[in-house]
Amino acid sequence: LLTETSAFDVAEQYRNLLASEGWELTADRAVGFATQLEFQSDAGALQGTITTDTFDQDDDYTSIVLGLRVSAPTTN
């Protein structure tokens, strides 16, 4: 995703959104100039990462990369 909002502001918006929706923020770190947020819900059954950074092809934009993982339930 691309936006004209700053990477700092995008990361802050996602922190607030995740908290308001009941997701647990498990990591919040700088990776170079990027910000990476890791989160989970349902005791880790749903996990994700959001990375915000300046778009490498145009500094006027921020790129947002979102990844989601779903853990399969284990059965005995």
Side-chain angles (χ1 to χ4, degrees):
L1 304 170
L2 294 177
T3 182
E4 292 180 335
T5 305
S6 75
F8 176 82
D9 289 340
V10 170
E12 187 62 25
Q13 290 170 356
Y14 275 105
R15 286 182 193 102
N16 293 333
L17 180 63
L18 290 167
S20 72
E21 294 296 321
W23 290 80
E24 176 187 357
L25 191 61
T26 58
D28 185 343
R29 62 180 162 265
V31 180
F33 291 105
T35 298
Q36 187 175 65
L37 306 174
E38 294 182 15
F39 56 93
Q40 69 178 15
S41 183
D42 296 331
L46 300 170
Q47 302 172 0
T49 304
I50 297 170
T51 303
T52 63
D53 199 359
T54 302
F55 183 50
D56 62 352
Q57 296 179 20
D58 187 337
D59 290 349
D60 291 334
Y61 293 93
T62 296
S63 70
I64 304 165
V65 178
L66 171 65
L68 291 173
R69 295 176 299 283
V70 178
S71 300
T74 57
T75 58
N76 293 332

